[in-house]
Amino acid sequence: MTSRLPPERLDLSRELDALRQRSGLSLTALAHSTSASRSSWHRYLRGVKIPPRDLVRELCALAQESPEPVLDLHERAETAGGRSGAAGGRPEPHEAASGPAPTRRSLRGLSALRRWWRPIAAGVLLGTAVAVGVTVAERVLDKAQQAASPPGCRSAGCTGKDPESQGCTHVEHEPVTVVERTLSGGARMDIRHSKGCAASWARVWLAEVGTRIEIVSPEGDVQEATIRDRYDAQGYVYTPMIGGMSEQDAEACYFAPSGGRPPEGAGTENPGPRPATTPAPAEPVAAADDRDDAQCFAAPR
């Protein structure tokens, strides 16, 4: 079914699933942490239906991510395909029941029906309570398993590694946004730091193809990423990490396409949003005359 969906809706569903993974929540736990049911989330993450905008904000809050780029994908998906069932008309209003007034015999029958129904209703309520208890237990177990899983790297061992694949973006490893800036052309950029991994990385969104970003340590170590195609430009692009420094030590730099190097692999087709990779080995900071167009910032001290 997903093969017949508009590409804009597929992009949105992939980004929503990526956010769910970053939150560290199972589908059941996600349903209990938001205003949507488990079955609804299943349809949203498969692209069968488009979720409400408020629900997108709830998921972004759980993943500790900015909602703006995801809401942009949401708007494109709605424009391309519309909400499921939007073409249908309004449901017809129910007509009021008509007929003779209830007789004494019918009232006695209703009383008997109520006596018969009460034990069944009690059983249903008990079954519901048990189901809720099992669901809560599953959620607690999910959280316990997440808390018990260590990050894939720590401190200097994280340098050059992907923050998501190493688990540094998971809630239990305390990822935080150290500082955020709005740059030329409306691009947004921030510095992220994971206390559990003791590592930092830079991230950009709402930027053009060819944009390059860097994160720089006080010692001059550099990790960088480039927006290579339209799929990168629709979501987040982030650098590999630099480990072994505090959250106030990192500096981030932004190079617009006109001031940075040409994008590598621009226009390459890609099935979905993904992090840009860094050429290996990481290059040193460019000479000052190559960085005239850079917009750099750091955390307030």
Side-chain angles (χ1 to χ4, degrees):
M1 180 175 181
T2 55
S3 61
R4 297 194 297 270
L5 294 175
E8 293 83 359
R9 187 179 291 191
L10 289 175
D11 289 341
L12 175 63
S13 65
R14 292 185 182 114
E15 184 63 20
L16 292 175
D17 191 50
L19 287 169
R20 182 196 65 79
Q21 295 181 38
R22 290 174 207 167
S23 73
L25 296 175
S26 68
L27 206 58
T28 300
L30 183 62
H32 280 269
S33 301
T34 62
S35 56
S37 67
R38 188 182 191 280
S39 59
S40 294
W41 273 117
H42 182 68
R43 291 191 291 271
Y44 297 147
L45 298 180
R46 290 177 56 212
V48 177
K49 294 189 70 176
I50 300 176
R53 292 174 66 88
D54 288 344
L55 194 62
V56 172
R57 292 189 179 94
E58 290 181 43
L59 179 57
C60 289
L62 289 171
Q64 295 188 347
E65 301 287 358
S66 174
E68 283 86 355
V70 191
L71 291 174
D72 183 59
L73 288 177
H74 183 279
E75 183 176 351
R76 297 182 192 182
E78 281 191 325
T79 302
R83 287 187 179 274
S84 191
R90 288 186 176 180
E92 292 296 324
H94 295 291
E95 294 184 2
S98 60
T103 64
R104 184 175 300 176
R105 178 178 298 177
S106 66
L107 290 175
R108 285 199 299 269
L110 180 59
S111 177
L113 179 61
R114 285 173 178 168
R115 289 195 299 272
W116 172 80
W117 173 250
R118 281 171 185 164
I120 296 178
V124 171
L125 291 174
L126 178 60
T128 302
V130 171
V132 171
V134 170
T135 301
V136 172
E138 287 178 351
R139 183 178 179 186
V140 171
L141 180 59
D142 285 341
K143 289 293 185 181
Q145 290 173 342
Q146 293 165 15
S149 61
C153 63
R154 182 164 175 79
S155 193
C158 292
T159 298
K161 295 183 178 179
D162 185 294
E164 286 194 5
S165 66
Q166 298 301 308
C168 300
T169 60
H170 291 181
V171 174
E172 68 269 22
H173 301 311
E174 302 181 82
V176 296
T177 297
V178 179
V179 60
E180 182 176 324
R181 290 285 186 272
T182 300
L183 304 168
S184 62
R188 304 285 296 275
M189 186 173 174
D190 63 13
I191 297 175
R192 298 276 285 170
H193 181 84
S194 168
K195 296 180 181 178
C197 295
S200 300
W201 63 98
R203 187 177 62 169
V204 70
W205 62 100
L206 301 180
E208 298 178 0
V209 174
T211 297
R212 181 167 60 91
I213 62 173
E214 292 179 350
I215 186 166
V216 186
S217 74
E219 293 74 29
D221 295 328
V222 178
Q223 296 291 335
E224 66 176 46
T226 301
I227 297 181
R228 297 170 296 178
D229 51 45
R230 68 184 182 92
Y231 296 102
D232 282 347
Q234 289 174 0
Y236 293 100
V237 169
Y238 53 85
T239 68
M241 296 181 286
I242 296 180
M245 59 180 176
S246 71
E247 57 189 71
Q248 285 81 24
D249 288 341
E251 180 185 38
C253 291
Y254 167 91
F255 299 83
S258 59
R261 294 176 297 189
E264 299 177 8
T268 303
E269 291 298 315
N270 187 294
R274 49 173 164 69
T277 56
T278 303
E283 299 180 1
V285 178
D289 56 352
D290 293 330
R291 299 173 61 82
D292 290 342
D293 295 323
Q295 300 179 58
C296 298
F297 61 92
R301 296 180 182 274

